[in-house]
Amino acid sequence: QLYTRIMAHDIKAPLRSIINFTQILKNRLEKSDFEVNEDIQDLFAYIENGGKNMNHLVTDLLDYARLNKQQLNFQKVSPTQLVRQQLIELDSEIKKKEAIVLIEQLPDIVVADKVKLKRVFLNLIGNALKFTGLDKQPTITISSTEDENSYFFHISDNGIGIPATSLDRIFDMFSKLHPDAEYEGTGIGLAACKKIAELHNGSINVRSQERKGSTFTFSISKQLTSANFYP
């Protein structure tokens, strides 16, 4: 953990310098007699965006490295309350896309790591908002089922869907099905969701059809208690 944090800091420091000095150079050129044409402006944009994307990647990698059993903090959590909190965080995107978000019956209380469970909901709902077609009003449904051993949470959308040939690698690290110009992201979010589900003795999977939407389902065990701290 310490080594990872040090490495992340050492990578981020020069990235910040690149972004800052690029901005300084751009500002000085604009104030000088030098002609900053469209091609040069594009080059500055490429450098700045590349630096910012790399910074996001390092941040996501560091967050992923922190996902381990030693840092679990199991407590009683209301899934409905947690989902509503995420919808508040995503409110601007929901309004921008005029999305319809439906919350169906969820368990009153589960035992889970609140911060990590929040991250799964935020990622999956955020993806459902992100990967929408231009010709559809986004509709997202959050629901649940359960059996004797587990709770299952389902996030369904009517978005662009996932090609059948990509379903087996969608949860792999750095797996990106679309270029940044179409959909931004580091390709770590779903891998983190998978890791969090596994830390809760659960799993995650997806059913999808291109141009019709996807349903992500993740589970957490019913056997978790506040005493479930791992050595």
Side-chain angles (χ1 to χ4, degrees):
Q1 287 293 315
L2 178 60
Y3 175 77
T4 303
R5 286 196 296 271
I6 293 173
M7 182 177 67
H9 178 271
D10 289 347
I11 293 175
K12 280 191 168 188
L15 279 175
R16 284 193 296 268
S17 296
I18 291 171
I19 296 171
N20 291 338
F21 283 120
T22 299
Q23 188 62 54
I24 291 172
L25 177 59
K26 180 180 177 182
N27 291 338
R28 288 186 178 179
L29 287 176
E30 289 175 345
K31 292 177 182 178
S32 71
D33 295 330
F34 187 85
E35 181 184 354
V36 182
N37 58 35
E38 187 174 338
D39 289 340
I40 293 176
Q41 290 178 346
D42 288 343
L43 289 173
F44 279 126
Y46 290 145
I47 295 171
E48 291 176 354
N49 289 336
K52 290 176 181 177
N53 289 340
M54 186 64 182
N55 191 61
H56 291 154
L57 178 59
V58 174
T59 298
D60 285 354
L61 280 171
L62 181 58
D63 289 343
Y64 184 85
R66 288 172 175 158
L67 296 176
N68 59 70
K69 291 182 177 180
Q70 281 73 22
Q71 292 188 342
L72 288 177
N73 179 21
F74 289 125
Q75 57 186 294
K76 292 182 178 179
V77 178
S78 165
T80 300
Q81 184 179 21
L82 207 58
V83 168
R84 292 192 183 280
Q85 289 173 354
Q86 305 325 298
L87 296 184
I88 292 173
E89 290 193 29
L90 295 166
D91 183 63
S92 61
E93 188 68 13
I94 292 171
K95 289 180 178 177
K96 177 182 176 182
K97 295 198 172 185
E98 299 181 342
I100 299 172
V101 182
L102 306 172
I103 305 175
E104 297 188 350
Q105 185 65 40
L106 300 179
D108 291 334
I109 295 292
V110 300
V111 174
D113 184 298
K114 184 176 182 178
V115 174
K116 293 178 174 60
L117 189 60
K118 171 184 175 179
R119 181 172 178 181
V120 176
F121 279 122
L122 186 61
N123 190 291
L124 295 180
I125 298 171
N127 279 355
L129 285 169
K130 181 195 299 185
F131 297 104
T132 55
L134 298 176
D135 58 337
K136 289 183 180 179
Q137 181 180 28
T139 300
I140 302 166
T141 304
I142 300 132
S143 60
S144 70
T145 54
E146 62 181 282
D147 63 17
E148 183 180 353
N149 301 310
S150 303
Y151 294 107
F152 300 87
F153 297 94
H154 315 282
I155 292 83
S156 300
D157 64 63
N158 62 339
I160 63 174
I162 303 167
T165 54
S166 301
L167 290 175
D168 60 344
R169 62 182 179 89
I170 194 69
F171 298 104
D172 294 344
M173 286 281 285
F174 309 118
S175 179
K176 296 186 64 176
L177 306 185
H178 308 278
D180 285 339
E182 294 182 20
Y183 299 98
E184 293 183 356
T186 59
I188 298 176
L190 288 179
C193 290
K194 178 182 178 183
K195 182 72 172 179
I196 292 170
E198 291 172 346
L199 289 172
H200 287 76
N201 295 335
S203 62
I204 188 169
N205 61 70
V206 61
R207 292 182 291 106
S208 185
Q209 284 185 280
E210 286 190 87
R211 296 181 296 278
K212 291 188 177 181
S214 305
T215 296
F216 284 84
T217 297
F218 73 94
S219 65
I220 63 173
S221 172
K222 287 184 174 181
Q223 312 307 318
L224 303 174
T225 71
S226 57
N228 285 148
F229 291 100
Y230 295 83

